[in-house]
Amino acid sequence: MDIRPQCRRWFASPCSEKLLLDFEKNNPDITLEPWGLEELRQIFRHLSLEDLESWFGPAPTEETELGFKNLQPVLERIATQASPPVQSIREVPRGKIEANALSESVATLLKAGMAKAPLVEEFFAKWRDPDFGERSAESFRKQYESLYEKFTPNRIFSELQGWAGGSARGAPEHELAVLSVLAYYFERCDIFEEPRESRNIQ
């Protein structure tokens, strides 16, 4: 609904009667009528969803917190577990960092997450629902794909971090658990692109 033509005839802000009369006197072709909150409310009730989003941004939906809700069991478990021995920690795939133009800061965060990434794999292997890990992987893939055309690689990583960890930042243990899940799916190539050499080998 385009309300711009109406703006020529209606005056929405509170003003004195004198200002209204003076304006009408100087602009005889325009008729003014004072608007209050109720008149504005009626207009907004008839706006399309697209127009409302242009004013207020997208409305929160259930999907906004879907990743966090699904991952709560694994995040809570990983947060309370000690990291495996250093020798069992795998390196962050450098070729994949470079292939996706991720910054050194993101590489550092992924390296921190790799410390507990084996615990994520172990959790999914032992969880009562054997398909939980793959369903979570599919959720990560879809979320990544929805961000791919919109943001830079570093911003995508930040968006995934917030999506998986919830809107409110948690304790350090929680944040490390989130990074561990991201690192796990990063290494598995569920999120971000594989290096060209890896694709050629396959």
Side-chain angles (χ1 to χ4, degrees):
M1 177 180 179
D2 190 352
I3 64 173
R4 286 175 295 180
Q6 292 175 310
C7 292
R8 298 178 59 188
R9 296 186 295 108
W10 300 89
F11 192 75
S13 62
C15 61
S16 68
E17 184 177 354
K18 183 178 184 305
L19 285 175
L20 288 171
L21 294 174
D22 287 346
F23 186 90
E24 287 185 330
K25 182 179 179 180
N26 295 326
N27 301 273
D29 295 333
I30 300 178
T31 301
L32 298 180
E33 182 173 329
W35 273 13
L37 178 61
E38 185 56 35
E39 287 79 8
L40 290 172
R41 185 181 288 119
Q42 291 299 324
I43 286 293
F44 275 95
R45 282 174 179 166
H46 291 87
L47 290 176
S48 67
L49 179 60
E50 182 180 354
D51 287 329
L52 288 171
E53 287 185 346
S54 72
W55 280 76
F56 304 111
T61 63
E62 185 177 348
E63 285 74 18
T64 305
E65 297 294 326
L66 183 60
F68 175 58
K69 288 180 180 178
N70 278 353
L71 291 169
Q72 268 188 303
V74 62
L75 294 177
E76 291 172 359
R77 178 65 179 274
I78 301 303
T80 61
Q81 289 183 290
S83 299
V86 175
Q87 58 267 27
S88 67
I89 298 175
R90 296 188 289 268
E91 291 291 326
V92 179
R94 290 302 312 181
K96 190 170 179 181
I97 292 287
E98 295 161 358
N100 289 275
L102 291 166
S103 68
E104 194 61 34
S105 297
V106 171
T108 300
L109 292 174
L110 284 169
K111 183 177 181 180
M114 289 297 288
K116 285 192 170 185
L119 298 179
V120 179
E121 184 176 17
E122 181 182 324
F123 176 91
F124 287 135
K126 295 181 177 179
W127 188 245
R128 59 179 178 269
D129 179 357
D131 297 324
F132 181 37
E134 288 307 314
R135 284 204 313 275
S136 297
E138 182 62 22
S139 295
F140 267 95
R141 283 192 289 268
K142 288 181 178 179
Q143 187 67 10
Y144 171 76
E145 289 168 3
S146 73
L147 300 169
Y148 182 76
E149 298 294 339
K150 301 177 184 177
F151 301 116
T152 63
N154 283 350
R155 176 68 183 278
I156 291 173
F157 182 86
S158 296
E159 293 290 325
L160 288 172
Q161 191 177 0
W163 176 77
S167 55
R169 309 313 298 177
E173 294 81 4
H174 171 80
E175 296 300 318
L176 181 56
V178 173
L179 291 173
S180 300
V181 175
L182 286 172
Y184 171 71
Y185 285 123
F186 181 85
E187 186 188 30
R188 282 191 10 151
C189 293
D190 292 297
I191 53 175
F192 292 97
E193 307 304 306
E194 293 183 75
R196 186 179 303 172
E197 308 81 59
S198 299
R199 292 198 297 268
N200 290 339
I201 292 174
Q202 294 176 357

